[in-house]
Amino acid sequence: MDGVLPEQGETVIKKRLLYFCSYVPVKHLESMGFEMVAPGDETEDERERREYEPSRAICGYMQAFGRMRFEVFDGVILAHCCSSTERLYDYLRYRFPSLFIHILELPGQMNKDGEERLMGEYASLFSALQKHFGYGRPAPFVPAEKAFSVNDEGILLLGGGVHPGWYAMLRSIFHPFSLKIDDCLSSLRGDGLLHGKGRNVCCPHMLEYPSWLEQQLEKGEGEIRAVIGIYSPKCDYALFSIPLLMDICRRRGRPFLAIEEAFTPLLGEQNRIRLEAFRESLPEERMCADGQRRREEREERKGRGEEPFSASIPLGGRGGG
């Protein structure tokens, strides 16, 4: 695909940047003329670089990311969310000295100070890209905002490395309930924050992750009927968060299921069976009846000019539901 140098008007081949975190402002970078590639979008030639096998002691997501053929990309953008990503950054700097490699320092809390720090990180990233590639001035761009308003039979799926290849199977398993996936790759958190439209965002790295979930369940007025957590093996943040999330769901009367799964295109058979059993345990008839009642209530509020509930979480095309 082609891009255009903003000042010279010359047609160039777009530089391909690999990223793995939704705090990377993907749409903004695309407007700067780069082609963004996430794990799960890469081709067969871009994965499984056999000369290097990451240690099995690190999380499954970083294991999968570390096997990729980084040399076929023009650059890599990491996000410093854990020690494994920091070590991967060190390895890449040593192994591929000519490759553009940048790491975003994520704040531990998404308060005002955290947002200001992240804006500074974005500015440093844009400057580094322009310096390295010689172009990258963003075109006028306003990301389309798609707020998360869970449908009547909504199930919230939280993850720390859910492979995009699972999305169709997951939605098939939980049909006719709507399935909202809020995962490392599924939400355009970075673009929302950069353009001031996605402040209500969180991830397992953030200090307020448990309280964020509790707020979603409270504000949802019963629309979020169940919560599923799918996390990569050996993810420290997930291992500490899951008991807290489970307790929150128990107190709020929401069924909760937590599973571990490696970041591979195919969902494991054992976990698929667990998900199907969880689906069968959900009270479909009551949920559908309650959903019909809430639909009627929303239509009445809409007729009075009142806005329906929205949790204002920006979604990407990969995980939107």
Side-chain angles (χ1 to χ4, degrees):
M1 292 188 291
D2 294 337
V4 178
L5 291 173
E7 296 182 334
Q8 300 174 337
E10 298 178 3
T11 301
V12 297
I13 301 298
K14 282 189 176 183
K15 302 300 182 181
R16 304 180 75 241
L17 304 179
L18 179 66
Y19 76 99
F20 79 101
C21 176
S22 64
Y23 282 104
V24 174
V26 177
K27 294 299 181 182
H28 190 89
L29 292 174
E30 289 177 346
S31 79
M32 294 174 66
F34 298 100
E35 180 182 353
M36 305 303 295
V37 181
D41 287 340
E42 78 279 6
T43 65
E44 288 291 339
D45 292 336
E46 295 168 347
R47 69 169 71 97
E48 297 299 325
R49 186 172 54 82
R50 293 299 182 181
E51 67 182 75
Y52 173 68
E53 181 66 26
S55 170
R56 295 184 179 274
I58 64 176
C59 82
Y61 193 29
M62 285 296 97
Q63 287 184 43
F65 197 69
R67 295 188 186 102
M68 298 181 67
R69 298 182 61 222
F70 296 99
E71 64 271 21
V72 303
F73 296 95
D74 298 295
V76 180
I77 301 176
L78 303 172
H80 188 188
C81 60
C82 66
S83 58
S84 293
T85 58
E86 186 178 17
R87 297 285 75 83
L88 179 60
Y89 171 77
D90 293 338
Y91 167 78
L92 293 177
R93 290 290 301 271
Y94 172 79
R95 181 64 179 80
F96 306 102
S98 62
L99 186 67
F100 175 83
I101 305 170
H102 190 92
I103 187 167
L104 292 171
E105 292 291 338
L106 295 182
Q109 192 170 6
M110 198 54 71
N111 51 20
K112 183 178 180 181
D113 179 66
E115 290 180 11
E116 291 177 353
R117 288 174 53 196
L118 193 55
M119 293 305 107
E121 289 293 316
Y122 290 154
S124 297
L125 170 62
F126 302 151
S127 176
L129 286 167
Q130 291 175 326
K131 181 178 180 180
H132 185 90
F133 294 107
Y135 78 99
R137 178 173 298 176
F141 172 73
V142 177
E145 182 181 18
K146 182 180 179 184
F148 167 28
S149 180
V150 179
N151 292 337
D152 298 307
E153 296 79 40
I155 298 173
L156 178 60
L157 191 152
L158 305 175
V162 178
H163 197 285
W166 306 345
Y167 292 164
M169 176 184 292
L170 289 169
R171 291 196 171 94
S172 175
I173 291 175
F174 288 96
H175 180 80
F177 305 148
S178 68
L179 185 65
K180 161 62 176 68
I181 303 173
D182 195 75
D183 170 62
C184 291
L185 294 174
S186 64
S187 297
L188 299 178
R189 299 182 177 107
D191 289 295
L193 288 165
L194 186 63
H195 294 272
K197 294 186 175 183
R199 299 185 185 279
N200 188 11
V201 299
C202 208
C203 76
H205 169 77
M206 300 295 173
L207 179 64
E208 62 266 41
Y209 189 53
S211 60
W212 168 83
L213 173 62
E214 191 153 19
Q215 290 172 6
Q216 305 317 304
L217 297 180
E218 181 179 357
K219 294 178 180 178
E221 299 176 351
E223 294 188 355
I224 300 177
R225 290 310 188 95
V227 180
I228 302 171
I230 300 181
Y231 298 97
S232 294
K234 300 182 177 68
C235 174
D236 288 346
Y237 289 108
L239 292 174
F240 279 98
S241 296
I242 287 175
L244 299 176
L245 305 184
M246 186 178 301
D247 181 64
I248 290 169
C249 289
R250 178 188 59 79
R251 288 188 284 105
R252 295 284 178 178
R254 306 306 203 283
F256 180 84
L257 173 68
I259 64 175
E260 287 188 349
E261 181 68 45
F263 189 82
T264 58
L266 297 178
L267 184 66
E269 181 69 11
Q270 181 177 358
N271 279 330
R272 184 187 63 80
I273 294 173
R274 291 188 64 197
L275 288 165
E276 289 177 345
F278 184 73
R279 158 67 178 84
E280 292 175 359
S281 71
L282 299 178
E284 180 176 346
E285 293 182 2
R286 179 174 62 82
M287 294 174 72
C288 292
D290 289 349
Q292 177 62 34
R293 175 180 54 80
R294 286 193 300 277
R295 273 193 294 267
E296 294 172 355
E297 291 175 352
R298 277 202 299 272
E299 287 300 320
E300 292 178 2
R301 293 198 300 269
K302 190 173 182 181
R304 296 193 298 268
E306 301 175 3
E307 290 292 331
F309 161 77
S310 172
S312 300
I313 302 176
L315 305 185
R318 300 168 59 82

